[in-house]
Amino acid sequence: MGSTADERLLRALYAEHGGPLLGYALRLTGGDRQQAEDVVQETLVRAWRHPEALTGRPVRPWLFTVARNLVVDAHRARQSRPPETGLHEHAALPDGGDDIDRALESWMVAEALADLSPPHRAVLLETYYRGRSVAEAAKVLGIPAGTVKSRTYYALRALKLALEERGLAP
């Protein structure tokens, strides 16, 4: 019995993206391995059902976005059930849909920042997160103000690409 093109697609997706997707799902589910495995399985099933969504774009960000949406939807479904069902005690995410989205986006931005080179990350931390002027950042970092400006420009471009890969930037 030969494997179909659909089976080959699923196997290839799992082989290439299964590990990182499971790690991501584990973080989203607060370490609940069973729930994370269910999220990975459902994500791959959706990819199989919608192969057109995978063409003309990077696959991993799409898979991560689907996984994130599944976790958020599951959390919202748990929150909408009456308390007597006893399902609230296992909720891994904070209450409130906006809080969930903000927390997940914040985590993904932090992960994208970690992907930047140390010099790029340093200028963004000084100028954007610590609110320092170019001159102040130059003094703290021990580099010329012009270097702070150019590094900030290129760091923002790199950050935008990192966020696009995660499905966060337009």
Side-chain angles (χ1 to χ4, degrees):
M1 192 174 186
S3 67
T4 66
D6 290 342
E7 289 171 343
R8 286 193 301 273
L9 171 67
L10 276 175
R11 284 194 178 108
L13 283 173
Y14 185 77
E16 186 172 348
H17 305 286
L21 190 57
L22 179 60
Y24 180 67
L26 278 167
R27 288 189 296 266
L28 291 177
T29 60
D32 182 334
R33 186 161 188 90
Q34 183 61 52
Q35 186 183 5
E37 288 173 356
D38 290 347
V39 167
V40 169
Q41 182 178 0
E42 181 60 26
T43 299
L44 293 175
V45 166
R46 290 190 184 193
W48 171 71
R49 286 184 185 151
H50 303 284
E52 73 283 356
L54 304 175
T55 57
R57 72 171 72 193
V59 174
R60 189 167 294 176
W62 186 86
L63 293 171
F64 276 39
T65 299
V66 169
R68 175 186 172 277
N69 290 342
L70 288 169
V71 171
V72 169
D73 290 347
H75 175 73
R76 288 179 177 158
R78 281 192 303 271
Q79 294 299 342
S80 69
R81 291 186 184 127
E84 60 269 14
T85 62
L87 295 173
H88 290 307
E89 60 217 23
H90 299 299
L93 297 173
D95 289 339
D98 290 341
D99 291 342
I100 294 168
D101 291 341
R102 223 174 295 119
L104 290 172
E105 286 175 7
S106 175
W107 174 77
M108 288 171 63
V109 169
E111 188 179 71
L113 275 169
D115 286 349
L116 299 180
S117 69
H120 284 165
R121 189 171 44 251
V123 297
L124 290 182
L125 289 174
E126 295 302 325
T127 57
Y128 282 89
Y129 289 94
R130 295 191 177 120
R132 291 194 167 107
S133 68
V134 170
E136 292 168 336
K139 185 176 181 181
V140 168
L141 296 170
I143 57 176
T147 303
V148 170
K149 287 179 186 178
S150 65
R151 280 189 190 166
T152 301
Y153 173 78
Y154 289 109
L156 287 172
R157 287 181 60 183
L159 182 61
K160 181 179 183 240
L161 286 173
L163 291 172
E164 285 173 349
E165 288 174 359
R166 289 165 174 79
L168 277 182

